[in-house]
Amino acid sequence: MTKDSSRAPGRPRRLRAALVLSAVGLLAVAGAVVLPGSASAATTLGASAAEQGGRYFGTAVAVNKLNDSAYTTILNREFNQVTAENEMKIDALQPQQGQFNFGNGDRLVQHARSRGMQVRGHTLAWHSQQPGWMQNMSGTTLRNAMLNHVTQVATHYRGQIAWWDVVNEAFQDGSSGARRDSNLQRTGNDWIEAAFRAARQADPNAQLCYNDYNIDNWTDAKTQAVYRMVQDFKNRGVPIDCVGLQSHFTGGSNYPGNYRTTLSSFAALGVDVHITELDIRNAPSDAYRNVVNDCLAVSRCKGITVWGIRDSDSWRSNESPLLFDGNGNKKAAYNAVLTALNSGNPGGGDPTPAPTTPAPGGCTATITPGQVWGDRYNTSVTVSGASTWSVVVVITAPQRISATWSGNPTWDGSGNVMTMRSNGSGNTFGFTTMMNGNSSARPQIRSCTVG
Ligand code: 9MR
């Protein structure tokens, strides 16, 4: 290659003109002049998130600001999901016992749904923001008042809320991994699952989430404790669909490097994950970009909600943690987020799928919860990987199995451990369990053995 021919600018002028003309001609035939790289780049956060597998990008909204046109201009342009920052909390919705005030919540729901934005309900049960009458309650009275609140509110908004934060912030910070002490916790450890069951009953189509902060770092005791609760709920058929990571970060350094592992580990339990209250001190672009990429990398990460629109709207406005400045201008972090959304899934975040073929000599038994009555419930178990099998099922006392079908059962001395053997009637068996006063426990599979 000679020195001259290697230089594009050295091409004869007429040839260059012809190349340009034919390129324009081709584009004209195609019906559009499109600049490379800008073909379908969405220009707003919500539209861009929607292009990423139907995700959302949302914000917390203060309902009294819906009268501020600078605020609503950004809200309506950029976001396709909203969460009421305060207006659907217990003290706002039921200020006096039995007197519900849905006005502000309804206003937000109406504003959102008439514009195609999805609504996250926040929050049905929480130790904080309780009205005075509830703060003074305890025991069965409080438990019933809490369940009544869940039922009334979820019924009022039935069909309009995509996700409910059913329970918020029920675990302690620090290394204990324990539940947070609160008047609700003191009503009994099963208060959380009771709230989820009541919510499911009131609005069967809403996705039901557990929401918390400081569950971002996978190795933290609090993250592990919430993980074990969700795992337990899934095993026992407690109706939970999703986990919300609030993700209030205090700065670039406190965005944990294992955040993606946390998202994918929860997802591997069979729940969706949501980033529900994102804000980062001083809004570093890198940390915002990383959060977006981590969500996009995990299929079950359904969307991101920032906790406010402009820095001046933030609960910690002195830290300027949001995507718009006080004048409503886009900040550098906004551009980082939009670019990351438009760049798409960076990959690598999905949990390894569970093996579909059982290990040699093994079989898999899967529980499907069945009908529930006041005093008992049905369960069916489907076995894969073998045609003759024995499955060991464990029941929590004082619950007791009262009837079985499609298998030959034997029992250990305690009566709580049943071994069910195939009897040639197929690969699904079932049983009825009497609750005997414990309405929350559910059977677990201990093992599945071929032969
Ligand atoms: O941003 C909310 C602020 O306006 C309220 O005063 C405060 C107390 O209810 O709650 C803030 O939102 C919290 C959310 O409901 C739950 N997670 C932590 C949020 C920030 O404190």
Side-chain angles (χ1 to χ4, degrees), residues 82 108-119 159-162:
V82 294
L108 178 63
V109 169
Q110 203 279 333
H111 183 98
R113 286 173 53 81
S114 63
R115 290 167 177 81
M117 303 169 178
Q118 291 182 287
V119 183
Q160 307 188 70
I161 301 288

Side-chain angles (χ1 to χ4, degrees), residues 156-235:
H156 176 83
Y157 286 113
R158 176 164 38 209
Q160 307 188 70
I161 301 288
W163 313 272
W164 268 115
D165 289 334
V166 177
V167 170
N168 195 39
E169 302 176 356
F171 281 78
Q172 256 179 42
D173 293 313
S175 59
S176 73
R179 293 280 184 87
R180 174 196 295 277
D181 180 46
S182 71
N183 59 351
L184 289 168
Q185 180 63 29
R186 289 192 290 271
T187 70
N189 209 46
D190 62 344
W191 74 275
I192 298 183
E193 59 200 79
F196 274 84
R197 292 188 202 283
R200 177 69 99 228
Q201 205 168 12
D203 187 354
N205 292 322
Q207 297 276 294
L208 306 182
C209 302
Y210 176 77
N211 192 53
D212 214 330
Y213 65 92
N214 278 354
I215 56 168
D216 314 293
N217 188 323
W218 176 236
T219 61
D220 281 355
K222 186 171 173 182
T223 312
Q224 292 293 311
V226 172
Y227 175 85
R228 282 194 300 276
M229 179 188 74
V230 175
Q231 184 177 47
D232 171 54
F233 280 11
K234 293 298 286 184
N235 283 341

